[in-house]
Amino acid sequence: MAAIDFFGYLFLALGPPAAFFCVFIAPKSFVVLLTIFSAFLWLVVMLFTSAVFRGFVPLHPAAGPYAGAVLAAVAIEEVARYGVWRAHARLCGVLDSMSRRSGHAFSYSDHVHLALGWGAGHAACHALFLFASLLPLTAGDGSLFSDACPGLSVFLVGALNCLGTCATLVAAMAVALEGWRRRSAAHIAFAPAVHAASALLTLGSFRSGGCAFSVPAVLLVGAASAAYAARMVWRCAPPPPPADAAAAVAARREE
Amino acid sequence: MARRGGGPPSVLDDLGEEITGIAAPVAICMALVVLLVRVLNPEGMADTATVFIATMAYTEQPGDSAGTKLGGALLNALIFVCVVAGTTFVLFFLFKYRCYKVIYGYMGFAVFDMYFVLTGAIGLRLLQVLGVHIDTFSLCFILFNFSVVGVVGLFFAPVPLLLKQGYLVWTGIVTAFLFTYIPEWTSWVLLALMALYDLAAVLAPGGPLKVLVELAIERNQELPALVYEARPSGGRPYRRGWHRHRAAAGEGGAADAAAAAGADASPSHSTALLSGAARSSDGGDGGRGAWLAGSGGGGGAAGEGLQLASSPRAVPPGAEQRGGLDGGGAGSSGSGSSGGGGRGERRARSGLRSRSPTGGAAPRPAAAAAPPVAAAIDPAPPAGPPVATSGGGGAAGVPGGGASGSGASGSGAAGVGGGGGVVVAVEEEEDDEDMELPDSIKLGLGDFIFYSMLVGRAAMYDMMTVYASFLAIIAGLGITLLLLALARKALPALPVSIALGVAFYFLTRLVMEPFAIPLALNGVFY
């Protein structure tokens, strides 16, 4: 039973992110390294946030104090996201110059991969420290339920919130970096908006029976964010080169 | 990464493969140590007999004051580091006076001991926890075969790279797991002191790893060491058994020549001695490479981790050649890349660490904790005789440990026997006269061990600290590689990662957990 609980929650929360990692991140070693660096960076940000609230913990277990803490944490992270954009812009400049020197390509697809790497690191950091660190508790017998949500265990709520928020964070990063690149206010504002919305929705767990609403809402926000990010990336992608141009390039390479 | 369409390849396709080739096994080693700790010792019970050398002066008692624990831990750690340094110097003298058979013999014995006894002890405990039954004969048969293949593959015969890599990672896992039995205060103080020792051993004039590397460079030999070698990047095939040996044959005595000859062709890696020394004798080794010397654990050669038995890792002269870049000797030859003499050989090898099979499950009395060999990796010239790290049970390890520290043997291998690890990135030479040299980075086993020991110790507290320490260590490894690229000389691999790992462990434990755990338990996620 313990193994079922442990692996069940693990795959529920981290299965799709792991699949995403294997398909989009793992094939490119540099993006893997970027993801790890991003996770480390967001760990530093989380430590900073924790240090800010160190004098106030433990917070009163009510929606109000936690709403303030969550909003402050999201605000700190969104400020840090601007720093990520600056680092991303610099990185793209370096890679672009490398590609010119080496004759390799640095295409829009690579830009997107890098943005996904940044986002995956952000999501991984939150998933590890706000969900995965609790998983060992499921290895024993029994489970844990809150008074406000007797129908869903704390771990199940955490797993589903983790899944939805991970999707939100990856999508938000992709949209934000593209927004900063294009100086699009709407895209720039998207990330803080969905991040705050997703985080505040999780406070529904404090209300009696609120998790029945908050958990699906967080999942919905995650799915909607992912869909929006995919649509934006698809729309912003440059048009493919004409067929004859591609054939000419191929012929030149063969020569 | 396959290219789609007819366009030029993406700049991201091959970028960073060398680094992930090293980071991945480090991550696997750390993950498996955490798994072993959580399954076999989740309460963090210490066993002073298991790692005798690290608890010689003081045994922690629950009722002791913080000051007493700190003082005792400091004393234990100082003794440990002194043993590591001492064995490194012994290794240096063995290498200097060409006692290759002693080194190789001791290392072979120690490695066999680790694969048979320690692995068997851990296996037995796992079988007990999982409730799996097995008869004695079958267990001994499996362990014996496992051990023989390991010893032969690491030291004597070319085996598939993946097999050698697997054995090296398992060596790191076993040693690190045994090190987790060191009491808590001693563990943390030991990690800090080993990082400082690594700095001194690699960078300070007269440091044990530094002198060992310089001797190896001077002789154009590789020091044998247990060094993990990543696969070549860029899709180039990994070629075993190639090595270059140039003037090496004429440089030393017969033994050296034999060693240089390298019975086993192992790929030479073009490794550049960033310090510029060089490979001059090689007439253009021309290898370019990045060397990250880590003096890890020091010499512990012996055992760097395993204090119980000395398990020097010595690479037989022939195998040594093979080892080439691998790091010297013992480990390196395993990978077969040890390029033997010649320029390829100039790799920094890290000292080997001998591991003494202390048997996690069965504490060994008075195991000599083979001090981990800090590997000062210095892209040294061709492999020398393997550095035996002693570890022997109870006995002070042979300098093998030192070897590991010393790993700095030329060849780029980052071998760290003991503590440190040297990370070596080898670039392919353009003036490739007689063979193509694969590009790869090598990291000494000492780094694997101490990184995993830190994470394993964190696992005894909480998984949140494990994740934080893991990320910090990987970030530290990346920073170290960056410094290596900037400094272009041998650098210790332990300090940055250990400093970040320890700092993030305590920050997570003291600052993040009081904030994050209530959030998670209340279903809040941001």
Side-chain angles (χ1 to χ4, degrees):
Chain A
M1 191 63 191
I4 292 175
D5 284 346
F6 178 85
F7 287 107
Y9 296 133
L10 178 72
F11 291 131
L12 180 63
L14 301 180
F20 173 84
F21 179 87
C22 291
V23 172
F24 294 105
I25 308 292
K28 294 184 186 285
S29 296
F30 185 79
V31 183
V32 173
L33 296 174
L34 183 67
T35 300
I36 295 173
F37 173 74
S38 174
F40 175 73
L41 178 69
W42 290 107
L43 168 61
V44 173
V45 174
M46 285 187 73
L47 279 171
F48 176 79
T49 306
S50 303
V52 168
F53 284 94
R54 187 61 180 89
F56 303 97
V57 294
L59 297 174
H60 180 64
Y66 276 92
V70 161
L71 283 174
V74 169
I76 292 171
E77 294 212 339
E78 293 308 316
V79 170
R81 198 188 298 276
Y82 177 72
V84 170
W85 151 246
R86 297 293 298 268
H88 176 73
R90 188 173 183 115
L91 175 65
C92 289
V94 170
L95 290 174
D96 192 45
S97 62
M98 281 175 61
S99 68
R100 290 172 198 276
R101 283 198 306 268
S102 62
H104 289 74
F106 185 54
S107 62
Y108 177 74
S109 169
D110 296 324
H111 279 266
V112 174
H113 272 97
L114 293 176
L116 291 178
W118 286 109
H122 192 183
C125 179
H126 283 245
L128 286 177
F129 291 99
L130 294 177
F131 169 71
S133 57
L134 292 185
L135 271 183
L137 294 175
T138 63
D141 295 327
S143 188
L144 180 65
F145 294 83
S146 66
D147 294 333
C149 191
L152 299 176
S153 72
V154 167
F155 306 108
L156 181 59
V157 171
L160 294 172
N161 283 340
C162 176
L163 179 61
T165 307
C166 283
T168 301
L169 292 176
V170 174
M173 185 65 78
V175 172
L177 292 180
E178 185 64 19
W180 280 107
R181 193 169 79 92
R182 293 174 179 272
R183 297 290 189 261
S184 167
H187 291 150
I188 292 172
F190 176 83
V194 293
H195 192 184
S198 177
L200 289 173
L201 281 171
T202 62
L203 295 174
S205 300
F206 282 101
R207 296 195 62 167
S208 179
C211 58
F213 162 76
S214 66
V215 169
V218 169
L219 290 171
L220 193 64
V221 169
S225 302
Y228 181 79
R231 181 167 165 267
M232 182 212 72
V233 166
W234 190 255
R235 281 188 158 190
C236 293
D244 55 352
V249 169
R252 276 201 299 273
R253 282 198 359 258
E254 286 176 5
E255 292 173 4
Chain B
M1 170 107 181
R3 276 203 312 281
R4 297 201 185 117
S10 166
V11 69
L12 294 183
D13 281 350
D14 297 327
L15 193 61
E17 279 187 1
E18 298 90 348
I19 300 175
T20 52
I22 281 293
V26 170
I28 291 171
C29 185
M30 289 194 283
L32 290 178
V33 170
V34 169
L35 184 65
L36 282 177
V37 167
R38 297 292 296 192
V39 172
L40 299 180
N41 191 19
E43 303 301 323
M45 303 297 293
D47 187 342
T48 56
T50 301
V51 189
F52 173 73
I53 199 89
T55 55
M56 202 186 288
Y58 166 72
T59 302
E60 286 182 29
Q61 302 296 333
D64 289 343
S65 66
T68 303
K69 287 182 180 178
L70 183 61
L74 198 59
L75 202 55
N76 284 340
L78 280 172
I79 292 173
F80 190 93
V81 171
C82 289
V83 172
V84 168
T87 52
T88 306
F89 278 114
V90 171
L91 175 67
F92 166 74
F93 288 115
L94 283 176
F95 181 52
K96 181 175 182 178
Y97 295 107
R98 309 181 195 284
C99 303
Y100 304 134
K101 289 187 178 177
V102 173
I103 296 174
Y104 281 111
Y106 187 54
M107 288 172 57
F109 166 77
V111 170
F112 181 87
D113 190 24
M114 178 174 19
Y115 288 153
F116 189 84
V117 179
L118 284 182
T119 302
I122 294 173
L124 275 174
R125 293 191 66 182
L126 277 173
L127 292 174
Q128 287 171 354
V129 168
L130 298 175
V132 176
H133 302 281
I134 187 170
D135 61 284
T136 304
F137 176 79
S138 300
L139 183 63
C140 290
F141 181 79
I142 294 168
L143 285 174
F144 182 75
N145 279 274
F146 177 77
S147 307
V148 168
V149 171
V151 173
V152 168
L154 285 182
F155 301 136
F156 301 107
V159 297
L161 179 62
L162 200 59
L163 184 67
K164 183 178 179 183
Q165 289 174 336
Y167 272 103
L168 288 173
V169 172
W170 179 247
T171 304
I173 291 168
V174 169
T175 310
F177 176 68
L178 290 181
F179 274 179
T180 59
Y181 281 92
I182 298 175
E184 184 174 12
W185 284 73
T186 303
S187 293
W188 294 113
V189 176
L190 178 63
L191 283 167
L193 284 190
M194 283 307 305
L196 293 174
Y197 166 76
D198 203 16
L199 269 175
V202 175
L203 299 178
L209 293 178
K210 193 178 178 73
V211 296
L212 196 56
V213 169
E214 288 171 353
L215 179 62
I217 294 173
E218 180 185 327
R219 288 186 181 176
N220 200 27
Q221 285 180 328
E222 288 182 346
L223 286 176
L226 287 178
V227 175
Y228 180 94
E229 179 188 10
R231 289 186 178 275
S233 63
R236 283 179 291 274
Y238 174 78
R239 301 180 187 184
R240 294 178 295 110
W242 289 22
H243 66 277
R244 289 178 197 248
H245 54 281
R246 309 256 182 142
E251 289 182 6
D256 294 340
D264 159 359
S266 33
S268 297
H269 300 271
S270 57
T271 55
L273 184 55
L274 293 185
S275 58
R279 319 199 57 5
S280 51
S281 65
D282 197 59
D285 222 302
R288 293 168 300 284
W291 308 75
L292 182 59
S295 54
E304 158 172 31
L306 308 183
Q307 280 56 19
L308 299 188
S310 53
S311 42
R313 302 192 185 286
V315 176
E320 182 52 24
Q321 288 307 314
R322 221 185 330 211
L325 188 57
D326 287 354
S332 60
S333 43
S335 55
S337 58
S338 25
R343 122 167 93 148
E345 309 344 291
R346 304 217 204 124
R347 302 194 209 152
R349 294 201 179 221
S350 57
L352 300 178
R353 318 167 161 248
S354 58
R355 302 192 189 250
S356 347
T358 24
R364 306 265 188 115
V373 177
I377 300 311
D378 181 53
V387 175
T389 56
S390 52
V398 169
S404 57
S406 53
S409 47
S411 331
V416 164
V422 169
V423 175
V424 175
V426 181
E427 297 180 12
E428 193 170 87
E429 301 187 18
E430 290 175 357
D431 57 338
D432 173 40
E433 304 148 41
D434 42 0
M435 70 181 74
E436 182 182 32
L437 302 177
D439 295 354
S440 65
I441 292 181
K442 297 183 179 182
L443 181 66
L445 229 54
D447 294 324
F448 281 77
I449 289 167
F450 285 98
Y451 295 164
S452 302
M453 175 190 169
L454 193 159
V455 178
R457 173 51 62 178
M460 293 177 177
Y461 178 74
D462 188 64
M463 288 305 291
M464 199 175 282
T465 53
V466 170
Y467 301 138
S469 303
F470 172 83
L471 288 174
I473 286 171
I474 298 294
L477 184 61
I479 292 170
T480 309
L481 289 171
L482 191 64
L483 290 174
L484 183 68
L486 294 174
R488 305 192 68 77
K489 67 174 187 177
L491 295 176
L494 275 189
V496 180
S497 288
I498 295 297
L500 284 178
V502 173
F504 275 73
Y505 168 83
F506 286 104
L507 282 174
T508 302
R509 180 169 169 171
L510 300 173
V511 176
M512 182 186 282
E513 287 199 348
F515 176 70
I517 290 180
L519 276 181
L521 291 176
N522 283 291
V524 178
F525 203 104
Y526 74 94

